[in-house]
Amino acid sequence: MLDSFLTYINEKQLFTVSDRLLIAVSGGIDSVALVNLCYEAGFQFGIAHCNFQLRGEESDYDERFVRELAYHYKADFFVRHFDTKMYAKQNGVSTQMAARDLRYQWFEEVLIENEYDYLLTAHHQDDLLETILLNLTRGTGLAGLHGILPKNGKLVRPLLGVTRGELLGYIQEKGLKWREDSSNASVDYGRNRLRHEVVPILKAMNPQITAAAAELAERVKATEDILHEALERQRPLVIQNEKGNVWVAIEELEKQTASLEKLALWLNDYGFDYKRVKEIWKNRKGQVGKQYFSTTHVLTFDRQKWLITPQTHTMHGVLTYEIVDNVGEMAFEGKILKWDLLSEVAYGVSQSVVFLDYSKLTFPLRMRPWQKGDWFCPLGMNGKRKKISDFLVDIKWPRSLKNQVYVLESEGQIAWVIGLRVDERFKVEGITKKISKFEIL
C-alpha cells in the first residue's frame, strides 16, 4: 500500500517530502489510513478535526479519538466546533452543504495561519465513483464526469488511486483503530443511498467498476483540457472585450459548429449555467434590451451582439464586485477602476497605479470593502502579515474614511488594499513575464 501511495503522489505530482501537510481527519477508516501512510512515508503533517455537533456524545468521542491520534503521531492538532444546524438555517442550505462550507472555510484559515502548503483529504476511488453517479443524477457536463480531482489548488486527494476495500485491508493489517460514523449507515442522504443501494448492483455487474470510473475521470479531464485549449483559440472571434465591456458576436457564433455547447462553456466564466444558456440561445433573436442574469453578471441583447456586464452582489453580506477578464474597467464608489494586461515587464507602485504579477492572480478576482479580521502582507515588510485595521492606524488613515477602503482579492488572498498598498506576495519581480496593471481614475 505504501509503495502504491507514493507512486500515485509522484505520478500526479501532488506534493513533495519538503511540503508541510494539513490532514483533515474525521477518525474514520479512510482518514486514519491516510495519517498512517503519511507517517510511514516520512511526510511533515498536522491534523485538523471538525466537530459539527450533529451526533451528540458520538461527535465528542470522535474529537477525543482524533486528538489522541495526533498525540500518538506527535502531530500538531487543530479542532473547531461548529453550530452546523444554525448555519444551515441562516444560509438556507442543507446540513451536509453547511458542514462542507464550514470545514473548508476553517481549513483555509488553518492553512494560512500555520503556513501549511497543502490540505489533504482521504477521498478514494469509491468516493470518486459516487461523486460521478451523484452528478449524473443531478445533470452534469464534462466537469461532473471527471468528479473529484487529485489536486485542485491547495486541496490534494492522494488516496484516489485506491479503493475503500484496500484501505480497510491496510488498516486491519496494521492493527489500527478507527471510529465508525453512525450516519454513514443511513440512506436519508443521496450519497449514502447510492453507496448502499446502487453501487453494490454496479459492482455485481463489474467488480472493477471503481477502477473503470477512475479511468473515465482521467480521460474526461484530459479531454476537457484539450477542449479548453481549442476554445481559447476560438474565443477572440466570439467573445470580444471593448473598453471594459464584454461582447458576444452572435453572427460569428452561428457560423461555428456546436454553437450552443461552445457558448455554454464560454458563458460559464460569467456565472451562466447550461439551462440558462440554452434559454438565451433559443431566444437569440429576441427583443433588443432583454436581459438575463447570472449570480455575477447581466447579459443584455443588443442587435447582433450581446453585452455582458458585471453586477454587484453580496457575499456573506458584503457588497462584492467580480473581475472576470484580464482587461476592463468598472465604476465603484464614484471612481473608475481600470485594469489591463501588459506584455512587457513594468515596475513601480503608486497610490493610483499598481502593477501585479499576472501569474500569481487567479480570476475571477473580487473587489469588496475591507472587513474586520482582514490581513495582508504589505509591500516592503518582507512578507510579514499585518491586519488591515492596524495598517490603517499606522498610516494615519482618517477614521471617517475607513469604510471607503476596498481590497482586491485573488482566491481569498488580498492582493491590493486599493489605492494604498500592494501585497508582497503579488508584487512584480525580475522573472515576471506578464503584468496586470490596475489604475484608479
Side-chain angles (χ1 to χ4, degrees), residues 45 48 70 103 113-114 135 140 146 165 244 277 292 313 321 326 376 381 390 411 435:
F45 63 86
R103 66 174 174 263
E113 292 175 3
N114 297 276
N135 290 340
T140 187
H146 69 53
V277 175
Y292 291 89
H313 62 288
Y321 301 82
N326 51 37
F376 75 128
M381 290 185 58
D390 295 334
E411 285 195 323
I435 309 297

Side-chain angles (χ1 to χ4, degrees), residues 27-264:
I29 290 172
D30 312 333
S31 58
V32 170
L34 177 57
V35 169
N36 200 69
L37 284 166
C38 287
Y39 177 77
E40 289 187 330
F43 293 126
Q44 310 170 65
F45 63 86
I47 289 176
H49 176 75
C50 299
N51 187 334
F52 295 110
Q53 303 185 92
L54 294 173
R55 294 177 288 112
E57 288 186 351
E58 189 177 344
S59 294
D60 295 332
Y61 288 145
D62 289 347
E63 178 185 330
R64 187 180 309 163
F65 173 83
V66 178
R67 186 185 297 275
E68 292 172 355
L69 192 73
Y71 178 80
H72 172 75
Y73 288 104
K74 297 181 175 58
D76 289 337
F77 178 66
F78 307 90
V79 64
R80 175 69 62 86
H81 290 216
F82 298 104
D83 190 341
T84 312
K85 290 184 177 179
M86 177 62 71
Y87 180 91
K89 182 179 180 180
Q90 291 176 342
N91 291 273
V93 297
S94 67
T95 302
Q96 283 187 312
M97 185 59 69
R100 184 186 187 283
D101 290 347
L102 288 168
R103 66 174 174 263
Y104 282 112
Q105 289 171 15
W106 177 59
F107 288 153
E108 180 67 19
E109 292 176 13
V110 178
L111 280 173
I112 293 172
E113 292 175 3
N114 297 276
E115 298 181 340
Y116 284 102
D117 297 295
Y118 294 105
L119 169 69
L120 273 57
T121 64
H123 294 94
H124 44 69
Q125 283 189 357
D126 293 76
D127 292 318
L128 175 60
L129 172 61
E130 292 163 10
T131 299
I132 293 173
L133 292 174
L134 198 59
N135 290 340
L136 283 172
T137 64
R138 296 168 175 169
T140 187
L142 283 178
L145 291 178
H146 69 53
I148 49 182
L149 299 173
K151 189 173 186 178
N152 186 8
K154 291 183 176 295
L155 176 60
V156 178
R157 303 176 176 101
L159 296 182
L160 286 183
V162 297
T163 65
R164 180 181 288 120
E166 289 172 324
L167 290 172
L168 176 59
Y170 168 77
I171 203 171
Q172 289 175 334
E173 177 190 337
K174 296 293 181 180
L176 302 175
K177 296 180 180 180
W178 69 89
R179 291 281 299 168
E180 290 286 356
D181 185 341
S182 60
S183 65
N184 287 335
S186 170
V187 294
D188 293 338
Y189 302 117
R191 181 179 289 273
N192 285 359
R193 191 169 185 183
L194 283 171
R195 179 179 302 166
H196 296 299
E197 298 180 359
V198 177
V199 172
I201 296 175
L202 295 177
K203 286 187 174 181
M205 297 173 64
N206 177 9
Q208 301 301 317
I209 186 66
T210 52
E215 183 177 338
L216 168 68
E218 285 193 358
R219 295 182 66 184
V220 168
K221 182 61 173 69
T223 301
E224 194 176 19
D225 292 341
I226 294 169
L227 177 60
H228 177 74
E229 288 182 1
L231 285 174
E232 284 302 298
R233 289 194 295 268
Q234 296 179 19
R235 183 186 181 104
L237 298 174
V238 178
I239 309 294
Q240 301 158 0
N241 197 305
E242 300 175 5
K243 298 180 179 179
N245 294 320
V246 177
W247 295 89
V248 182
I250 305 171
E251 288 186 350
E252 181 60 39
L253 182 59
E254 288 179 323
K255 298 175 186 177
Q256 301 193 14
T257 57
S259 301
L260 171 60
E261 294 299 326
K262 290 178 179 177
L263 180 65

Side-chain angles (χ1 to χ4, degrees), residues 3-14:
D3 288 343
S4 60
F5 175 67
L6 292 174
T7 298
Y8 187 81
I9 291 170
N10 292 330
E11 285 181 350
K12 302 298 181 183
Q13 298 181 329
L14 301 183

Side-chain angles (χ1 to χ4, degrees), residues 302-353:
D302 187 7
R303 296 180 178 84
Q304 296 306 310
K305 290 185 177 182
W306 298 329
L307 173 64
I308 301 176
T309 54
Q311 60 166 316
T312 59
H313 62 288
T314 59
M315 180 176 291
H316 307 303
V318 179
L319 182 66
T320 304
Y321 301 82
E322 289 213 345
I323 297 174
V324 175
D325 286 325
N326 51 37
V327 178
E329 66 179 57
M330 176 189 300
F332 78 104
E333 296 292 326
K335 307 181 186 71
I336 299 292
L337 174 67
K338 290 185 64 176
W339 61 95
D340 199 1
L341 183 62
L342 306 181
S343 58
E344 297 181 357
V345 175
Y347 296 91
V349 294
S350 72
Q351 287 191 342
S352 59
V353 180

Side-chain angles (χ1 to χ4, degrees), residues 275-298:
K275 182 178 180 181
R276 182 52 55 90
V277 175
K278 283 182 68 176
E279 182 182 353
I280 292 170
W281 186 245
K282 180 181 178 180
N283 299 319
R284 61 186 179 277
K285 304 298 183 183
Q287 180 181 358
V288 172
K290 184 175 178 60
Q291 293 184 317
Y292 291 89
F293 293 83
S294 74
T295 55
T296 59
H297 286 77
V298 181

